[in-house]
Amino acid sequence: MNWDDTRVFLALCREQTLRAAARSLGVDQATVGRRLASLESALAATLFLRTSSGYSLTSAGEVAMRAALEMEAAAAGLQRQILGMDERLSGVVRVTTTDSFALDFIIPAVARLRLDHPGIEVQLQASTQMLNLSQREADIAVRTHKPDNPELVVRRLARWHSGLFASCEYLQRCGEPSPGSAFAGHELVVYQPYLDSGKEVTLAGEPIAQGRIAMTCTSGLMVRRALASGIGLGELPVPLGERDGLQQVWAQGKPYDIWLVTHEDVRHTARVRVVIEAIAQAFKP
């Protein structure tokens, strides 16, 4: 199996349409179709059923996918091992994190880092999507979720408490909520994934059943901006609420941790190592 054809095959397995596969690879649809035809010809097998809803694997395609995934894992492993031997303080380091962490911590850390190491290029992706470090989708991740993959090296950057926050303007207009009132008479800003989880939604431990949801947001940064604009009450990590000049209404006792994650094969790479230390320094109190 040709590796270039195999990459296209795996993209089509994952995306299920030519257009989506082409977009994920940064090529045009004709290239995806040509690579797929080349692979099917080489294997003398039909790998996909073409349907109105997209491409679905045949039995032969399922066998090919298992082999292709092994090739992908081997290629990623080779890249990680070679990268781990690199002692140059130059080159690309890919970092994935949330938008709030990116703006308040990662970007300032990179600005300071580049004063001493201008040859390092940091490619920063701010997203709630969990990229796969084993597949070299990123070199470093900063997350609130601690992974259990034994190949990943985990370092705790901070332990934060959260609290209920609002702007001074909102509190002057609406007052503070009463504990036990379930936010009766108050406007709320809620992180959309909380609502989508199917669990009872609370803010700083208080159920929101009597409150009015004024806005839902799909990122922590948008929650912060909504609260700063006086839209309502919401829950934030205490350090971020304080950074934004918001008023803490209630505290919540349960802490959560911020983790820096990298793969064991790349953590000793010189450029990755200095980026890790710069990020860790940025999260110190």
Side-chain angles (χ1 to χ4, degrees):
M1 294 173 67
N2 178 286
W3 173 237
D4 288 333
D5 294 345
T6 304
R7 287 179 60 248
V8 169
F9 169 68
L10 284 173
L12 193 52
C13 289
R14 289 162 176 150
E15 304 295 340
Q16 298 184 322
T17 68
L18 288 176
R19 176 177 295 179
R23 185 169 57 246
S24 72
L25 294 167
V27 299
D28 56 39
Q29 288 181 232
T31 298
V32 174
R34 186 168 61 251
R35 289 290 187 182
L36 176 59
S38 173
L39 183 59
E40 288 186 323
S41 175
L43 296 176
T46 300
L47 303 178
F48 290 98
L49 294 175
R50 284 71 164 173
T51 69
S52 57
S53 60
Y55 281 60
S56 60
L57 287 167
T58 63
S59 297
E62 292 175 354
V63 173
M65 184 179 71
R66 289 194 290 270
L69 289 171
E70 292 177 2
M71 289 178 66
E72 182 182 55
L78 176 60
Q79 286 183 312
R80 289 195 309 269
Q81 291 174 40
I82 297 301
L83 178 60
M85 299 168 62
D86 193 347
E87 290 301 317
R88 293 173 300 167
L89 286 170
S90 62
V92 172
V93 178
R94 291 167 296 175
V95 180
T96 177
T97 189
T98 66
D99 48 10
S100 280
F101 292 164
L103 285 175
D104 288 314
F105 299 96
I106 309 300
I107 291 175
V110 172
R112 291 188 291 270
L113 170 75
R114 284 188 50 78
L115 296 176
D116 295 323
H117 304 294
I120 294 177
E121 174 191 340
V122 175
Q123 296 181 352
L124 177 61
Q125 177 171 336
S127 171
T128 56
Q129 181 185 1
M130 303 286 277
L131 298 187
N132 190 325
L133 273 65
S134 295
Q135 295 298 329
R136 297 235 40 241
E137 293 177 347
D139 301 309
I140 299 168
V142 178
R143 303 170 172 170
T144 57
H145 171 71
K146 183 180 181 181
D148 54 12
N149 185 338
E151 295 181 344
L152 301 181
V153 179
V154 180
R155 174 175 178 175
R156 186 168 67 192
L157 296 175
R159 171 164 285 183
W160 288 349
H161 290 76
S162 59
L164 185 71
F165 283 89
S167 68
C168 293
E169 184 272 331
Y170 175 84
L171 294 175
Q172 290 171 358
R173 186 175 77 244
C174 300
E176 294 188 5
S178 301
S181 68
F183 295 109
H186 280 275
E187 308 288 334
L188 307 176
V189 178
V190 181
Y191 185 50
Q192 183 64 47
Y194 288 171
L195 294 176
D196 296 340
S197 69
K199 300 177 182 178
E200 181 187 23
V201 178
T202 64
L203 295 178
E206 179 81 7
I208 67 168
Q210 300 302 314
R212 295 184 297 273
I213 296 178
M215 178 175 280
T216 63
C217 303
T218 57
S219 82
L221 182 62
M222 287 194 288
V223 171
R224 293 169 62 188
R225 293 296 176 264
L227 297 181
S229 298
I231 291 175
L233 297 154
E235 184 177 321
L236 288 177
V238 170
L240 298 185
E242 291 176 346
R243 275 175 177 261
D244 293 343
L246 298 170
Q247 295 297 306
Q248 185 173 350
V249 182
W250 299 336
Q252 183 183 21
K254 186 177 180 180
Y256 68 94
D257 296 319
I258 315 300
W259 303 99
L260 185 146
V261 187
T262 190
H263 196 280
E264 62 182 0
D265 289 342
V266 304
R267 64 177 173 139
H268 295 303
T269 305
R271 63 180 180 271
V272 174
R273 189 168 62 244
V274 296
V275 174
I276 287 173
E277 292 308 317
I279 293 172
Q281 186 67 32
F283 275 88
K284 288 185 177 179

